[in-house]
Amino acid sequence: MVSHVEDVAYHWHEGNITAVMGGAGVTSPIDSSVNDTDFAYDPGVVMFFSVSQVLFPLMYVLLAIVGLVGNAAVLFIIVCHPDMQTVTNYFIANLAITDIFTLVMCTLPTALYAAGILFPVPATCKAINYIQYVMVQATCCTLTAMSIDRYNLIVHAVQSRKSRTTSKVIIINTFIWAASFLLHCPVAIYSNITHHNICETFFPTVLAEKVFHTFATMTMYVLPLSINLVCYISILHQVWTRTSLGTESAHAQERSVRRKRKITRMVFVVVLLFAICWAPAQIVRMWQTFDYVNYNNLRFTRIQLMGSLEFVALCLAYANSCVNPFVYAFTTTSFKKYFKKVFRPCCRFSYRQARSTSTMSPSTSRVSKVLTREESSV
């Protein structure tokens, strides 16, 4: 799942355009009409590789820095504040862990590789490819578990009150990690350095490769999103069209429903962002798996287009590992409050401006305080 732009660059410099066919160890020329001399000295191609060697690594590093800071803050908030150690937040902590591993084990090595600083060796090739599959699997399973938890809490509120415990969440998260490592063992086995010094995963047969990648797409994308969709259809029906029953006062019920809606929206946004960010990478991988020759024809005849497409797909995939903290900060009052405390030293100037503004307009300050109290209650 690592970008193939460097693969194109290698072939371009070598002037030997071949396609590795299905991992069977056979190389065959791509379409005979393709002539590398037609674009070997194309100024557009030269400019593309010059820019990509600088822009691509910088973008990967930027994503890694933002993601690591944000997810580390999420973990710090959950671990250091007992009131934040809830069932939902334990799932969020698991997401933060998968994002940190992805950024450290995949995004940063990809940046070094794209910059020409790090060259793949068999051990790192297997580790990076394997960890990336495992992290994506753990992420989508955690999101699915969160959606099912939301479904049980809202649709089966009475039954879930006794069954929703943090200890059960820890067991579920442990099972998710174990299953993710086991499901993608073939990636660790069949990932290796090709004779072009490129890290790729090749299976013994074309059929085996197609079967595995289809299985991976189903387990890492299609099936989890389908379960999420069913859960949210049921949640929407329950939350938005029916009134919850109970012995609580009308005000308490309204406050509880409001809080459930807010958290449900947050989980829904996280799932939606995962679907959007990983869709291009999944499509590109399946396209390459089932139409390898034509895909590589385009890679070598439309270098700028395909290189940009793969870069955008990979950037979106890695961006998913750094957007979740922003979702928590903007959609939940509790995380927003603690994020302000964590990053207050970095934002002193903004806070001074806010205080001076509140001093100039006391009536506005009183209104905002009332709104803040009402928000904190949900």
Side-chain angles (χ1 to χ4, degrees):
M1 297 173 81
V2 176
S3 174
H4 294 282
V5 174
E6 293 78 14
D7 191 4
V8 178
Y10 179 87
H11 287 289
W12 176 60
H13 287 304
E14 290 292 308
N16 177 26
I17 305 176
T18 59
V20 181
M21 302 298 294
V26 179
T27 59
S28 63
I30 292 182
D31 191 341
S32 59
S33 62
V34 177
N35 184 359
D36 59 304
T37 58
D38 293 338
F39 55 83
Y41 299 103
D42 184 344
V45 175
V46 175
M47 178 63 71
F48 174 76
F49 283 114
S50 299
V51 172
S52 67
Q53 285 184 332
V54 177
L55 176 62
F56 292 6
L58 283 177
M59 184 59 72
Y60 296 142
V61 170
L62 178 63
L63 289 173
I65 292 173
V66 173
L68 288 173
V69 172
N71 285 291
V74 170
L75 283 178
F76 174 79
I77 290 169
I78 294 173
V79 171
C80 296
H81 299 89
D83 61 309
M84 295 295 289
Q85 294 171 11
T86 64
V87 170
T88 300
N89 288 349
Y90 270 45
F91 283 124
I92 288 175
N94 202 44
L95 279 181
I97 293 171
T98 63
D99 289 338
I100 288 172
F101 269 101
T102 299
L103 295 167
V104 172
M105 299 294 293
C106 301
T107 308
L108 288 177
T110 300
L112 297 175
Y113 181 59
I117 298 173
L118 178 69
F119 295 94
V121 296
T124 59
C125 171
K126 290 178 181 293
I128 291 174
N129 278 5
Y130 179 48
I131 289 297
Q132 184 157 348
Y133 275 84
V134 171
M135 292 306 109
V136 177
Q137 185 69 67
T139 297
C140 68
C141 286
T142 304
L143 291 174
T144 304
M146 289 175 70
S147 298
I148 295 173
D149 175 68
R150 289 285 95 197
Y151 167 82
N152 287 329
L153 179 63
I154 295 172
V155 179
H156 303 291
V158 178
Q159 298 91 320
S160 66
R161 286 178 182 175
K162 295 181 180 180
S163 61
R164 290 181 79 248
T165 62
T166 53
S167 59
K168 286 187 177 180
V169 176
I170 293 173
I171 294 173
I172 291 171
N173 286 338
T174 303
F175 176 78
I176 286 172
W177 280 97
S180 299
F181 275 105
L182 288 174
L183 284 174
H184 299 287
C185 285
V187 177
I189 297 171
Y190 293 110
S191 291
N192 217 325
I193 306 297
T194 68
H195 60 287
H196 294 302
N197 199 36
I198 304 300
C199 175
E200 292 190 9
T201 304
F202 286 117
F203 288 82
T205 65
V206 175
L207 178 61
E209 183 170 355
K210 290 181 177 180
V211 168
F212 176 78
H213 285 306
T214 301
F215 167 78
T217 300
M218 292 297 294
T219 59
M220 293 193 305
Y221 195 77
V222 177
L223 186 59
L225 289 183
S226 299
I227 296 173
N228 285 316
L229 180 62
V230 172
C231 287
Y232 277 102
I233 290 174
S234 301
I235 288 171
L236 287 174
H237 175 72
Q238 179 77 11
V239 172
W240 299 100
T241 64
R242 294 175 59 184
T243 303
S244 59
L245 300 176
T247 58
E248 300 169 288
S249 66
H251 178 70
Q253 282 191 12
E254 182 183 353
R255 184 174 58 189
S256 176
V257 169
R258 203 161 59 235
R259 183 176 182 277
K260 288 177 182 178
R261 285 177 176 176
K262 180 172 286 190
I263 296 177
T264 301
R265 280 198 297 269
M266 181 267 291
V267 177
F268 176 76
V269 170
V270 172
V271 173
L272 181 63
L273 286 174
F274 173 82
I276 294 172
C277 289
W278 276 100
Q282 296 289 352
I283 292 170
V284 167
R285 185 163 58 86
M286 294 304 290
W287 180 12
Q288 186 180 21
T289 299
F290 284 89
D291 195 15
Y292 191 87
V293 174
N294 289 329
Y295 181 87
N296 280 277
N297 275 337
L298 287 173
R299 281 171 62 189
F300 297 121
T301 57
R302 299 289 186 269
I303 292 179
Q304 297 101 314
L305 175 63
M306 295 302 290
S308 300
L309 174 65
E310 292 180 342
F311 169 68
V312 170
L314 195 62
C315 268
L316 277 174
Y318 287 150
N320 184 243
S321 295
C322 68
V323 296
N324 288 341
F326 294 98
V327 176
Y328 311 145
F330 287 106
T331 59
T332 61
T333 305
S334 55
F335 269 109
K336 187 187 300 184
K337 176 182 68 176
Y338 285 118
F339 269 120
K340 285 181 179 179
K341 289 184 179 180
V342 170
F343 293 106
R344 182 170 292 169
C346 304
C347 308
R348 285 177 180 172
F349 180 73
S350 299
Y351 277 101
R352 288 195 195 112
Q353 281 190 324
R355 284 197 296 270
S356 63
T357 304
S358 63
T359 304
M360 293 175 63
S361 56
S363 61
T364 304
S365 177
R366 285 195 297 271
V367 172
S368 65
K369 286 179 180 178
V370 172
L371 292 175
T372 302
R373 282 198 299 270
E374 289 184 357
E375 256 189 353
S376 65
S377 67
V378 295

